[in-house]
Amino acid sequence: MVDDATAGTSRTTADRGDRTFPEAGTRAPAGGRAQLPGVQTDSIRIVEVSARDGLQIEPTIVPTETKVDMIGQLAAAGLRTIEATSFVSPKWVPQLADAAQVLARLEPVAQSGVDLPVLVPNQRGLDRALAAGAQSIAVFASATESFAQRNWNSDLAGVLAMASPVITEAKRRGLPVRGYLSMCWGDPWEGPTDPARVAELAAQLVRLGCDEVSLGDTIGVATAGVVVRLVRAVVTAGVEVDRIALHFHDTYGQALSNVQAGLGEQVRTFDASAGGLGGCPYAKSATGNLATEDLVWFCDGLGLRTGVDLDRLVRLSEQLAGVLGRPSPSAVVRALAGAG
């Protein structure tokens, strides 16, 4: 499925600031030191979620070999944190029924220093993940009661009660733990989410032992102003800003504007999905994740280092679009694929 590292011709020079735009024949503005007001960094960390969050809602089962190749190519493109899979029940997410097989075949990637977190829903999922050799764990919870009922058939307290022993056991084993909060800015049943509730839940996850909390805009309703408001509320609740990650969907075309707002609040970690793959199987209004290519292009223009080879990532996303039988929703993938 995946081409060799040397296959294809590069559409750019090594310096992203020297990119030639297709057709127009002009050059992209050179990326320099970040120019956004209030941004005090020269690099960001990307958590790549396409292999789990991106694939989980796909109706066509992607072969294990394709998933392994995909993750290998994501690592080769420079991504250093790649969510590998999820140890949820195959009954609920058939696409990820091969979690143990995928993880077992990623040992060379793990040995290269790439972090490969796996999502687990409960103690049983953790047991399966540990048996498969997982070295990094993620748990998830809801910021709204409605989503908790639909996803876990439980209230918020019950969801946290399921996550707590998973976090405790993972930390006892010395493993890093990431916490996800879904529906942080709104859900389809309750409307806008109360920032104070999200802040308290994020603080609870940190108190339970999570090293990092990813705030998810599951249905893509956030805008820059409410991103700022929520990040400040979470920090006020006692969560250090370097423990906060932001996870945006591009339903209303606001994802990069929201990244910019997060940068202004000194957030340094952003989730993204190659080719813009993804959604939520339990929220039908959830469209694709922020595309990694779009995020990298945006950051390149600011002079923010990501460590990602954009051309290689675009080639991979073109191939994935072919496997899935539809064009990539990523604007950058579409633009650069047309430049070939």
Side-chain angles (χ1 to χ4, degrees), residues 147 182-193 216-222 247-252 279-280 282-288:
F147 190 61
S182 299
M183 304 292 179
C184 288
W185 283 273
D187 81 0
W189 307 281
E190 296 183 18
T193 306
D217 182 21
T218 312
I219 58 173
V221 295
H247 182 124
F248 296 122
H249 287 233
D250 209 27
T251 311
Y252 293 90
C280 176
Y282 303 102
K284 302 306 180 185
S285 56
T287 58

Side-chain angles (χ1 to χ4, degrees), residues 219-232:
I219 58 173
V221 295
T223 56
V226 292
V227 169
V228 169
R229 189 180 313 148
L230 182 57
V231 171
R232 291 179 180 177

Side-chain angles (χ1 to χ4, degrees), residues 37 46-47 49 52 58 84 140 167 198 219 221 248 274 285 305:
I46 296 175
V47 176
V49 301
R52 194 278 301 176
E58 292 297 328
F140 57 111
I167 298 168
V198 178
I219 58 173
V221 295
F248 296 122
S285 56
R305 295 193 303 272

Side-chain angles (χ1 to χ4, degrees), residues 23-140:
E23 299 181 358
T26 58
R27 294 187 183 277
R33 181 66 173 85
Q35 298 298 308
L36 288 177
V39 175
Q40 301 168 10
T41 186
D42 59 4
S43 64
I44 69 162
R45 170 175 169 255
I46 296 175
V47 176
E48 174 59 46
V49 301
S50 56
R52 194 278 301 176
D53 192 5
L55 293 181
Q56 68 179 2
I57 65 168
E58 292 297 328
T60 301
I61 300 300
V62 177
T64 300
E65 181 64 35
T66 300
K67 295 173 185 173
V68 173
D69 285 348
M70 171 185 177
I71 293 168
Q73 285 298 314
L74 290 168
L79 290 152
R80 310 309 295 167
T81 303
I82 305 169
E83 195 179 48
T85 187
S86 176
F87 285 84
V88 297
S89 169
K91 174 183 177 182
W92 299 113
V93 187
Q95 182 68 256
L96 304 179
D98 59 351
Q101 295 94 317
V102 168
L103 196 59
R105 297 178 63 178
L106 290 174
E107 183 61 27
V109 177
Q111 289 181 350
S112 73
V114 174
D115 184 24
L116 298 170
V118 298
L119 191 68
V120 300
N122 49 34
Q123 185 65 47
R124 183 176 180 182
L126 177 64
D127 292 342
R128 290 176 55 213
L130 294 174
Q135 294 297 308
S136 185
I137 300 298
V139 299
F140 57 111

